[in-house]
Amino acid sequence: MFPHSYFPTDLRNSGGKIHRPKGKKLKEERRNRGLPEDQVLVSGFNQLWKIDQDLWRVWMSILQRTKAYLWLPLFPDVAKPNLEYYTTLYAPEVKNRIVWTPLYPQEEHLQVKALAHLQLDTHVYCGHTSGADILWAGVPTLTLPGIKQSARVGASLLRGLGLDRYLVARSFDDYGRIAARAIGQVGLKGEKDWLGITRNLLSKQKQEAPLFDVSLWVKAMESSVRMAWELEHNALPPFHVVVADL
């Protein structure tokens, strides 16, 4: 067990500087991308096969409770008809507030994703590389950890940023409440804009917190391998390897 996050990422060195436009420039950039200009935009930048019916039902309820738009990648595009079908079952009134876009080139995808207000993580299989990418782009990510390791990656990434207390939900109901509250407060002044405050904190933490410090991750890996070798070398029984805070 690593002290911060198990996930290695070098985006602090390789991710580049992300600039999110404001005001008229933000509207113009969204318009040029075929996105709604003035509405809250929540994204789901994961492969669409990671979405199950339970999660889609929660996402639809979030749209029903707010005026937000849901921004999804056509990745893979064959999933779109199935998700549209379940939209007609759960929330037909919001079908026009789902925006589908193609994948963006590698050199610009982080800059484009920064246009979102909030990322909705998948539950059964969280975002891994895509999860780290959207956080580096400066978009707060809401996640709900499951039982399996693949369902707990989002929480691990947020722990590595010190944001797990704000953005890790405890249940589907909690997930929906946090998202609806955050969306409803967008545009309010000062401390009432919870999502704006969280975005500012993320901007600070991604430069200072352990998640994007790959050299710290390497030290943790070296320490864990050394501890495992000592167990084997001294003929000790198998044991959990827990790396202390470095």
Side-chain angles (χ1 to χ4, degrees), residues 14-48:
S14 63
K17 186 175 181 180
I18 307 299
H19 172 68
R20 186 176 192 262
K22 298 180 179 180
K24 291 182 179 180
K25 291 185 178 180
L26 175 60
K27 293 181 180 181
E28 181 181 354
E29 182 66 20
R30 283 187 168 186
R31 182 171 61 252
N32 292 339
R33 298 287 181 179
L35 302 170
E37 298 178 26
D38 299 312
Q39 303 299 326
V40 176
L41 197 57
V42 295
S43 58
F45 288 119
N46 282 319
Q47 295 188 59
L48 299 178

PDB file of all heavy atoms in Angstrom, residues 14-48:
ATOM      1  N   SER A  14       4.924  16.443 -18.093  1.00  0.00           N
ATOM      2  CA  SER A  14       4.568  16.212 -19.496  1.00  0.00           C
ATOM      3  C   SER A  14       3.212  16.782 -19.895  1.00  0.00           C
ATOM      4  O   SER A  14       2.904  16.848 -21.085  1.00  0.00           O
ATOM      5  CB  SER A  14       4.561  14.699 -19.776  1.00  0.00           C
ATOM      6  OG  SER A  14       3.560  14.047 -18.997  1.00  0.00           O
ATOM      7  N   GLY A  15       2.399  17.184 -18.915  1.00  0.00           N
ATOM      8  CA  GLY A  15       1.040  17.605 -19.234  1.00  0.00           C
ATOM      9  C   GLY A  15       0.918  19.002 -19.805  1.00  0.00           C
ATOM     10  O   GLY A  15      -0.107  19.346 -20.394  1.00  0.00           O
ATOM     11  N   GLY A  16       1.939  19.813 -19.635  1.00  0.00           N
ATOM     12  CA  GLY A  16       1.888  21.175 -20.152  1.00  0.00           C
ATOM     13  C   GLY A  16       1.022  22.083 -19.289  1.00  0.00           C
ATOM     14  O   GLY A  16       0.368  21.650 -18.342  1.00  0.00           O
ATOM     15  N   LYS A  17       1.016  23.345 -19.639  1.00  0.00           N
ATOM     16  CA  LYS A  17       0.219  24.328 -18.907  1.00  0.00           C
ATOM     17  C   LYS A  17      -1.175  24.406 -19.517  1.00  0.00           C
ATOM     18  O   LYS A  17      -1.336  24.566 -20.721  1.00  0.00           O
ATOM     19  CB  LYS A  17       0.896  25.695 -18.955  1.00  0.00           C
ATOM     20  CG  LYS A  17       0.215  26.755 -18.098  1.00  0.00           C
ATOM     21  CD  LYS A  17       0.998  28.057 -18.098  1.00  0.00           C
ATOM     22  CE  LYS A  17       0.324  29.099 -17.207  1.00  0.00           C
ATOM     23  NZ  LYS A  17       1.091  30.375 -17.197  1.00  0.00           N
ATOM     24  N   ILE A  18      -2.188  24.292 -18.659  1.00  0.00           N
ATOM     25  CA  ILE A  18      -3.574  24.324 -19.115  1.00  0.00           C
ATOM     26  C   ILE A  18      -4.157  25.702 -18.818  1.00  0.00           C
ATOM     27  O   ILE A  18      -4.108  26.179 -17.673  1.00  0.00           O
ATOM     28  CB  ILE A  18      -4.420  23.246 -18.416  1.00  0.00           C
ATOM     29  CG1 ILE A  18      -3.769  21.870 -18.564  1.00  0.00           C
ATOM     30  CG2 ILE A  18      -5.836  23.236 -18.980  1.00  0.00           C
ATOM     31  CD1 ILE A  18      -3.609  21.401 -19.980  1.00  0.00           C
ATOM     32  N   HIS A  19      -4.691  26.330 -19.840  1.00  0.00           N
ATOM     33  CA  HIS A  19      -5.303  27.645 -19.674  1.00  0.00           C
ATOM     34  C   HIS A  19      -6.791  27.538 -19.980  1.00  0.00           C
ATOM     35  O   HIS A  19      -7.180  27.210 -21.095  1.00  0.00           O
ATOM     36  CB  HIS A  19      -4.659  28.675 -20.597  1.00  0.00           C
ATOM     37  CG  HIS A  19      -5.361  29.998 -20.609  1.00  0.00           C
ATOM     38  ND1 HIS A  19      -5.369  30.844 -19.513  1.00  0.00           N
ATOM     39  CD2 HIS A  19      -6.095  30.607 -21.576  1.00  0.00           C
ATOM     40  CE1 HIS A  19      -6.076  31.922 -19.798  1.00  0.00           C
ATOM     41  NE2 HIS A  19      -6.533  31.807 -21.042  1.00  0.00           N
ATOM     42  N   ARG A  20      -7.619  27.802 -18.976  1.00  0.00           N
ATOM     43  CA  ARG A  20      -9.066  27.795 -19.173  1.00  0.00           C
ATOM     44  C   ARG A  20      -9.531  29.227 -19.388  1.00  0.00           C
ATOM     45  O   ARG A  20      -9.415  30.071 -18.501  1.00  0.00           O
ATOM     46  CB  ARG A  20      -9.787  27.206 -17.963  1.00  0.00           C
ATOM     47  CG  ARG A  20     -11.296  27.027 -18.159  1.00  0.00           C
ATOM     48  CD  ARG A  20     -11.892  26.340 -16.941  1.00  0.00           C
ATOM     49  NE  ARG A  20     -13.248  25.903 -17.175  1.00  0.00           N
ATOM     50  CZ  ARG A  20     -14.337  26.572 -16.797  1.00  0.00           C
ATOM     51  NH1 ARG A  20     -14.200  27.743 -16.178  1.00  0.00           N
ATOM     52  NH2 ARG A  20     -15.539  26.093 -17.024  1.00  0.00           N
ATOM     53  N   PRO A  21     -10.071  29.526 -20.567  1.00  0.00           N
ATOM     54  CA  PRO A  21     -10.507  30.901 -20.846  1.00  0.00           C
ATOM     55  C   PRO A  21     -11.670  31.304 -19.942  1.00  0.00           C
ATOM     56  O   PRO A  21     -12.348  30.463 -19.356  1.00  0.00           O
ATOM     57  CB  PRO A  21     -10.928  30.844 -22.316  1.00  0.00           C
ATOM     58  CG  PRO A  21     -11.251  29.411 -22.565  1.00  0.00           C
ATOM     59  CD  PRO A  21     -10.336  28.619 -21.691  1.00  0.00           C
ATOM     60  N   LYS A  22     -11.906  32.595 -19.845  1.00  0.00           N
ATOM     61  CA  LYS A  22     -12.983  33.116 -19.012  1.00  0.00           C
ATOM     62  C   LYS A  22     -13.852  34.076 -19.818  1.00  0.00           C
ATOM     63  O   LYS A  22     -13.447  34.584 -20.859  1.00  0.00           O
ATOM     64  CB  LYS A  22     -12.416  33.827 -17.784  1.00  0.00           C
ATOM     65  CG  LYS A  22     -11.607  32.943 -16.857  1.00  0.00           C
ATOM     66  CD  LYS A  22     -11.080  33.732 -15.661  1.00  0.00           C
ATOM     67  CE  LYS A  22     -10.282  32.848 -14.720  1.00  0.00           C
ATOM     68  NZ  LYS A  22      -9.767  33.617 -13.542  1.00  0.00           N
ATOM     69  N   GLY A  23     -15.053  34.307 -19.291  1.00  0.00           N
ATOM     70  CA  GLY A  23     -15.938  35.303 -19.882  1.00  0.00           C
ATOM     71  C   GLY A  23     -16.274  35.042 -21.331  1.00  0.00           C
ATOM     72  O   GLY A  23     -16.639  33.936 -21.724  1.00  0.00           O
ATOM     73  N   LYS A  24     -16.125  36.054 -22.164  1.00  0.00           N
ATOM     74  CA  LYS A  24     -16.480  35.962 -23.577  1.00  0.00           C
ATOM     75  C   LYS A  24     -15.616  34.932 -24.303  1.00  0.00           C
ATOM     76  O   LYS A  24     -16.086  34.233 -25.214  1.00  0.00           O
ATOM     77  CB  LYS A  24     -16.344  37.326 -24.247  1.00  0.00           C
ATOM     78  CG  LYS A  24     -17.376  38.350 -23.786  1.00  0.00           C
ATOM     79  CD  LYS A  24     -17.207  39.668 -24.535  1.00  0.00           C
ATOM     80  CE  LYS A  24     -18.256  40.687 -24.097  1.00  0.00           C
ATOM     81  NZ  LYS A  24     -18.098  41.981 -24.826  1.00  0.00           N
ATOM     82  N   LYS A  25     -14.353  34.829 -23.913  1.00  0.00           N
ATOM     83  CA  LYS A  25     -13.463  33.872 -24.561  1.00  0.00           C
ATOM     84  C   LYS A  25     -13.890  32.437 -24.260  1.00  0.00           C
ATOM     85  O   LYS A  25     -13.760  31.556 -25.128  1.00  0.00           O
ATOM     86  CB  LYS A  25     -12.023  34.114 -24.119  1.00  0.00           C
ATOM     87  CG  LYS A  25     -11.423  35.414 -24.647  1.00  0.00           C
ATOM     88  CD  LYS A  25      -9.967  35.537 -24.284  1.00  0.00           C
ATOM     89  CE  LYS A  25      -9.371  36.817 -24.877  1.00  0.00           C
ATOM     90  NZ  LYS A  25      -7.932  36.967 -24.535  1.00  0.00           N
ATOM     91  N   LEU A  26     -14.386  32.199 -23.053  1.00  0.00           N
ATOM     92  CA  LEU A  26     -14.882  30.864 -22.706  1.00  0.00           C
ATOM     93  C   LEU A  26     -16.099  30.520 -23.560  1.00  0.00           C
ATOM     94  O   LEU A  26     -16.198  29.408 -24.099  1.00  0.00           O
ATOM     95  CB  LEU A  26     -15.230  30.801 -21.222  1.00  0.00           C
ATOM     96  CG  LEU A  26     -15.867  29.497 -20.727  1.00  0.00           C
ATOM     97  CD1 LEU A  26     -14.931  28.313 -20.967  1.00  0.00           C
ATOM     98  CD2 LEU A  26     -16.232  29.600 -19.251  1.00  0.00           C
ATOM     99  N   LYS A  27     -17.019  31.470 -23.693  1.00  0.00           N
ATOM    100  CA  LYS A  27     -18.203  31.234 -24.517  1.00  0.00           C
ATOM    101  C   LYS A  27     -17.812  30.971 -25.965  1.00  0.00           C
ATOM    102  O   LYS A  27     -18.370  30.084 -26.623  1.00  0.00           O
ATOM    103  CB  LYS A  27     -19.145  32.441 -24.432  1.00  0.00           C
ATOM    104  CG  LYS A  27     -19.780  32.649 -23.064  1.00  0.00           C
ATOM    105  CD  LYS A  27     -20.720  33.850 -23.090  1.00  0.00           C
ATOM    106  CE  LYS A  27     -21.358  34.078 -21.733  1.00  0.00           C
ATOM    107  NZ  LYS A  27     -22.290  35.237 -21.747  1.00  0.00           N
ATOM    108  N   GLU A  28     -16.874  31.757 -26.463  1.00  0.00           N
ATOM    109  CA  GLU A  28     -16.438  31.593 -27.842  1.00  0.00           C
ATOM    110  C   GLU A  28     -15.798  30.233 -28.074  1.00  0.00           C
ATOM    111  O   GLU A  28     -16.061  29.550 -29.079  1.00  0.00           O
ATOM    112  CB  GLU A  28     -15.451  32.705 -28.201  1.00  0.00           C
ATOM    113  CG  GLU A  28     -14.946  32.632 -29.630  1.00  0.00           C
ATOM    114  CD  GLU A  28     -13.955  33.740 -29.947  1.00  0.00           C
ATOM    115  OE1 GLU A  28     -13.742  34.620 -29.090  1.00  0.00           O
ATOM    116  OE2 GLU A  28     -13.377  33.713 -31.056  1.00  0.00           O
ATOM    117  N   GLU A  29     -14.961  29.800 -27.128  1.00  0.00           N
ATOM    118  CA  GLU A  29     -14.295  28.512 -27.260  1.00  0.00           C
ATOM    119  C   GLU A  29     -15.309  27.368 -27.232  1.00  0.00           C
ATOM    120  O   GLU A  29     -15.213  26.414 -28.014  1.00  0.00           O
ATOM    121  CB  GLU A  29     -13.262  28.336 -26.145  1.00  0.00           C
ATOM    122  CG  GLU A  29     -12.476  27.045 -26.206  1.00  0.00           C
ATOM    123  CD  GLU A  29     -11.578  26.945 -27.427  1.00  0.00           C
ATOM    124  OE1 GLU A  29     -11.260  27.988 -28.028  1.00  0.00           O
ATOM    125  OE2 GLU A  29     -11.185  25.808 -27.779  1.00  0.00           O
ATOM    126  N   ARG A  30     -16.276  27.474 -26.352  1.00  0.00           N
ATOM    127  CA  ARG A  30     -17.318  26.444 -26.301  1.00  0.00           C
ATOM    128  C   ARG A  30     -18.128  26.423 -27.597  1.00  0.00           C
ATOM    129  O   ARG A  30     -18.431  25.355 -28.134  1.00  0.00           O
ATOM    130  CB  ARG A  30     -18.241  26.698 -25.106  1.00  0.00           C
ATOM    131  CG  ARG A  30     -17.647  26.286 -23.776  1.00  0.00           C
ATOM    132  CD  ARG A  30     -18.691  26.410 -22.702  1.00  0.00           C
ATOM    133  NE  ARG A  30     -18.283  25.768 -21.462  1.00  0.00           N
ATOM    134  CZ  ARG A  30     -19.077  25.634 -20.412  1.00  0.00           C
ATOM    135  NH1 ARG A  30     -20.313  26.124 -20.448  1.00  0.00           N
ATOM    136  NH2 ARG A  30     -18.656  25.027 -19.335  1.00  0.00           N
ATOM    137  N   ARG A  31     -18.473  27.592 -28.078  1.00  0.00           N
ATOM    138  CA  ARG A  31     -19.256  27.670 -29.322  1.00  0.00           C
ATOM    139  C   ARG A  31     -18.479  27.048 -30.472  1.00  0.00           C
ATOM    140  O   ARG A  31     -19.041  26.316 -31.294  1.00  0.00           O
ATOM    141  CB  ARG A  31     -19.605  29.123 -29.624  1.00  0.00           C
ATOM    142  CG  ARG A  31     -20.460  29.299 -30.877  1.00  0.00           C
ATOM    143  CD  ARG A  31     -20.974  30.719 -31.027  1.00  0.00           C
ATOM    144  NE  ARG A  31     -19.896  31.696 -31.157  1.00  0.00           N
ATOM    145  CZ  ARG A  31     -19.558  32.565 -30.215  1.00  0.00           C
ATOM    146  NH1 ARG A  31     -20.205  32.578 -29.061  1.00  0.00           N
ATOM    147  NH2 ARG A  31     -18.565  33.426 -30.404  1.00  0.00           N
ATOM    148  N   ASN A  32     -17.190  27.307 -30.531  1.00  0.00           N
ATOM    149  CA  ASN A  32     -16.365  26.748 -31.602  1.00  0.00           C
ATOM    150  C   ASN A  32     -16.265  25.232 -31.521  1.00  0.00           C
ATOM    151  O   ASN A  32     -16.001  24.564 -32.532  1.00  0.00           O
ATOM    152  CB  ASN A  32     -14.962  27.357 -31.550  1.00  0.00           C
ATOM    153  CG  ASN A  32     -14.945  28.827 -31.913  1.00  0.00           C
ATOM    154  OD1 ASN A  32     -15.869  29.330 -32.562  1.00  0.00           O
ATOM    155  ND2 ASN A  32     -13.909  29.540 -31.489  1.00  0.00           N
ATOM    156  N   ARG A  33     -16.477  24.697 -30.320  1.00  0.00           N
ATOM    157  CA  ARG A  33     -16.408  23.251 -30.122  1.00  0.00           C
ATOM    158  C   ARG A  33     -17.783  22.582 -30.201  1.00  0.00           C
ATOM    159  O   ARG A  33     -17.899  21.377 -29.981  1.00  0.00           O
ATOM    160  CB  ARG A  33     -15.784  22.943 -28.754  1.00  0.00           C
ATOM    161  CG  ARG A  33     -14.353  23.445 -28.593  1.00  0.00           C
ATOM    162  CD  ARG A  33     -13.390  22.609 -29.386  1.00  0.00           C
ATOM    163  NE  ARG A  33     -12.011  23.076 -29.213  1.00  0.00           N
ATOM    164  CZ  ARG A  33     -10.961  22.500 -29.789  1.00  0.00           C
ATOM    165  NH1 ARG A  33     -11.134  21.437 -30.554  1.00  0.00           N
ATOM    166  NH2 ARG A  33      -9.749  22.985 -29.608  1.00  0.00           N
ATOM    167  N   GLY A  34     -18.817  23.360 -30.498  1.00  0.00           N
ATOM    168  CA  GLY A  34     -20.156  22.799 -30.566  1.00  0.00           C
ATOM    169  C   GLY A  34     -20.754  22.499 -29.209  1.00  0.00           C
ATOM    170  O   GLY A  34     -21.632  21.634 -29.080  1.00  0.00           O
ATOM    171  N   LEU A  35     -20.306  23.223 -28.184  1.00  0.00           N
ATOM    172  CA  LEU A  35     -20.763  23.026 -26.813  1.00  0.00           C
ATOM    173  C   LEU A  35     -21.670  24.175 -26.392  1.00  0.00           C
ATOM    174  O   LEU A  35     -21.545  25.287 -26.916  1.00  0.00           O
ATOM    175  CB  LEU A  35     -19.560  22.943 -25.866  1.00  0.00           C
ATOM    176  CG  LEU A  35     -18.536  21.843 -26.164  1.00  0.00           C
ATOM    177  CD1 LEU A  35     -17.288  22.038 -25.316  1.00  0.00           C
ATOM    178  CD2 LEU A  35     -19.140  20.460 -25.932  1.00  0.00           C
ATOM    179  N   PRO A  36     -22.584  23.940 -25.440  1.00  0.00           N
ATOM    180  CA  PRO A  36     -23.421  25.039 -24.950  1.00  0.00           C
ATOM    181  C   PRO A  36     -22.574  26.130 -24.307  1.00  0.00           C
ATOM    182  O   PRO A  36     -21.665  25.849 -23.533  1.00  0.00           O
ATOM    183  CB  PRO A  36     -24.334  24.357 -23.921  1.00  0.00           C
ATOM    184  CG  PRO A  36     -23.647  23.086 -23.557  1.00  0.00           C
ATOM    185  CD  PRO A  36     -22.890  22.660 -24.770  1.00  0.00           C
ATOM    186  N   GLU A  37     -22.886  27.368 -24.614  1.00  0.00           N
ATOM    187  CA  GLU A  37     -22.043  28.490 -24.204  1.00  0.00           C
ATOM    188  C   GLU A  37     -22.222  28.884 -22.742  1.00  0.00           C
ATOM    189  O   GLU A  37     -21.247  29.180 -22.047  1.00  0.00           O
ATOM    190  CB  GLU A  37     -22.340  29.712 -25.074  1.00  0.00           C
ATOM    191  CG  GLU A  37     -22.048  29.521 -26.551  1.00  0.00           C
ATOM    192  CD  GLU A  37     -22.414  30.746 -27.360  1.00  0.00           C
ATOM    193  OE1 GLU A  37     -22.411  31.856 -26.787  1.00  0.00           O
ATOM    194  OE2 GLU A  37     -22.714  30.602 -28.554  1.00  0.00           O
ATOM    195  N   ASP A  38     -23.472  28.925 -22.283  1.00  0.00           N
ATOM    196  CA  ASP A  38     -23.776  29.535 -20.988  1.00  0.00           C
ATOM    197  C   ASP A  38     -24.211  28.536 -19.915  1.00  0.00           C
ATOM    198  O   ASP A  38     -24.517  28.940 -18.800  1.00  0.00           O
ATOM    199  CB  ASP A  38     -24.873  30.587 -21.155  1.00  0.00           C
ATOM    200  CG  ASP A  38     -24.455  31.712 -22.085  1.00  0.00           C
ATOM    201  OD1 ASP A  38     -23.344  32.225 -21.903  1.00  0.00           O
ATOM    202  OD2 ASP A  38     -25.231  32.060 -22.995  1.00  0.00           O
ATOM    203  N   GLN A  39     -24.263  27.267 -20.233  1.00  0.00           N
ATOM    204  CA  GLN A  39     -24.789  26.285 -19.298  1.00  0.00           C
ATOM    205  C   GLN A  39     -23.679  25.554 -18.551  1.00  0.00           C
ATOM    206  O   GLN A  39     -22.538  25.479 -19.015  1.00  0.00           O
ATOM    207  CB  GLN A  39     -25.668  25.265 -20.050  1.00  0.00           C
ATOM    208  CG  GLN A  39     -26.814  25.877 -20.824  1.00  0.00           C
ATOM    209  CD  GLN A  39     -27.787  26.620 -19.929  1.00  0.00           C
ATOM    210  OE1 GLN A  39     -28.021  26.235 -18.784  1.00  0.00           O
ATOM    211  NE2 GLN A  39     -28.366  27.703 -20.447  1.00  0.00           N
ATOM    212  N   VAL A  40     -24.038  25.021 -17.403  1.00  0.00           N
ATOM    213  CA  VAL A  40     -23.097  24.180 -16.673  1.00  0.00           C
ATOM    214  C   VAL A  40     -22.885  22.896 -17.473  1.00  0.00           C
ATOM    215  O   VAL A  40     -23.829  22.257 -17.934  1.00  0.00           O
ATOM    216  CB  VAL A  40     -23.632  23.845 -15.271  1.00  0.00           C
ATOM    217  CG1 VAL A  40     -22.674  22.888 -14.551  1.00  0.00           C
ATOM    218  CG2 VAL A  40     -23.809  25.116 -14.457  1.00  0.00           C
ATOM    219  N   LEU A  41     -21.632  22.532 -17.622  1.00  0.00           N
ATOM    220  CA  LEU A  41     -21.263  21.398 -18.460  1.00  0.00           C
ATOM    221  C   LEU A  41     -20.563  20.346 -17.602  1.00  0.00           C
ATOM    222  O   LEU A  41     -19.477  20.582 -17.078  1.00  0.00           O
ATOM    223  CB  LEU A  41     -20.336  21.878 -19.578  1.00  0.00           C
ATOM    224  CG  LEU A  41     -20.125  21.009 -20.802  1.00  0.00           C
ATOM    225  CD1 LEU A  41     -21.443  20.684 -21.486  1.00  0.00           C
ATOM    226  CD2 LEU A  41     -19.185  21.717 -21.777  1.00  0.00           C
ATOM    227  N   VAL A  42     -21.200  19.203 -17.420  1.00  0.00           N
ATOM    228  CA  VAL A  42     -20.584  18.095 -16.692  1.00  0.00           C
ATOM    229  C   VAL A  42     -20.143  17.051 -17.708  1.00  0.00           C
ATOM    230  O   VAL A  42     -20.863  16.759 -18.665  1.00  0.00           O
ATOM    231  CB  VAL A  42     -21.533  17.482 -15.637  1.00  0.00           C
ATOM    232  CG1 VAL A  42     -21.834  18.485 -14.545  1.00  0.00           C
ATOM    233  CG2 VAL A  42     -22.819  16.982 -16.266  1.00  0.00           C
ATOM    234  N   SER A  43     -18.976  16.517 -17.516  1.00  0.00           N
ATOM    235  CA  SER A  43     -18.402  15.603 -18.498  1.00  0.00           C
ATOM    236  C   SER A  43     -18.327  14.185 -17.959  1.00  0.00           C
ATOM    237  O   SER A  43     -18.337  13.953 -16.758  1.00  0.00           O
ATOM    238  CB  SER A  43     -16.998  16.084 -18.897  1.00  0.00           C
ATOM    239  OG  SER A  43     -16.156  16.179 -17.754  1.00  0.00           O
ATOM    240  N   GLY A  44     -18.225  13.262 -18.889  1.00  0.00           N
ATOM    241  CA  GLY A  44     -18.016  11.849 -18.565  1.00  0.00           C
ATOM    242  C   GLY A  44     -16.945  11.297 -19.480  1.00  0.00           C
ATOM    243  O   GLY A  44     -17.230  10.415 -20.302  1.00  0.00           O
ATOM    244  N   PHE A  45     -15.722  11.810 -19.344  1.00  0.00           N
ATOM    245  CA  PHE A  45     -14.650  11.449 -20.269  1.00  0.00           C
ATOM    246  C   PHE A  45     -14.014  10.113 -19.899  1.00  0.00           C
ATOM    247  O   PHE A  45     -12.838  10.034 -19.531  1.00  0.00           O
ATOM    248  CB  PHE A  45     -13.590  12.544 -20.311  1.00  0.00           C
ATOM    249  CG  PHE A  45     -14.031  13.791 -21.012  1.00  0.00           C
ATOM    250  CD1 PHE A  45     -14.086  14.996 -20.332  1.00  0.00           C
ATOM    251  CD2 PHE A  45     -14.414  13.763 -22.333  1.00  0.00           C
ATOM    252  CE1 PHE A  45     -14.497  16.146 -20.967  1.00  0.00           C
ATOM    253  CE2 PHE A  45     -14.832  14.908 -22.984  1.00  0.00           C
ATOM    254  CZ  PHE A  45     -14.878  16.101 -22.295  1.00  0.00           C
ATOM    255  N   ASN A  46     -14.806   9.068 -20.005  1.00  0.00           N
ATOM    256  CA  ASN A  46     -14.320   7.700 -19.887  1.00  0.00           C
ATOM    257  C   ASN A  46     -14.891   6.906 -21.055  1.00  0.00           C
ATOM    258  O   ASN A  46     -15.850   7.340 -21.693  1.00  0.00           O
ATOM    259  CB  ASN A  46     -14.760   7.062 -18.564  1.00  0.00           C
ATOM    260  CG  ASN A  46     -13.929   7.534 -17.388  1.00  0.00           C
ATOM    261  OD1 ASN A  46     -12.721   7.674 -17.485  1.00  0.00           O
ATOM    262  ND2 ASN A  46     -14.580   7.790 -16.263  1.00  0.00           N
ATOM    263  N   GLN A  47     -14.320   5.753 -21.313  1.00  0.00           N
ATOM    264  CA  GLN A  47     -14.893   4.901 -22.346  1.00  0.00           C
ATOM    265  C   GLN A  47     -16.315   4.523 -21.941  1.00  0.00           C
ATOM    266  O   GLN A  47     -16.590   4.195 -20.782  1.00  0.00           O
ATOM    267  CB  GLN A  47     -14.041   3.650 -22.542  1.00  0.00           C
ATOM    268  CG  GLN A  47     -12.641   3.950 -23.075  1.00  0.00           C
ATOM    269  CD  GLN A  47     -11.898   2.701 -23.447  1.00  0.00           C
ATOM    270  OE1 GLN A  47     -12.343   1.931 -24.296  1.00  0.00           O
ATOM    271  NE2 GLN A  47     -10.753   2.472 -22.824  1.00  0.00           N
ATOM    272  N   LEU A  48     -17.209   4.552 -22.893  1.00  0.00           N
ATOM    273  CA  LEU A  48     -18.633   4.409 -22.584  1.00  0.00           C
ATOM    274  C   LEU A  48     -19.003   3.023 -22.080  1.00  0.00           C
ATOM    275  O   LEU A  48     -20.043   2.860 -21.419  1.00  0.00           O
ATOM    276  CB  LEU A  48     -19.455   4.766 -23.834  1.00  0.00           C
ATOM    277  CG  LEU A  48     -19.277   6.204 -24.347  1.00  0.00           C
ATOM    278  CD1 LEU A  48     -20.095   6.421 -25.607  1.00  0.00           C
ATOM    279  CD2 LEU A  48     -19.666   7.217 -23.274  1.00  0.00           C
TER     280      LEU A  48
END
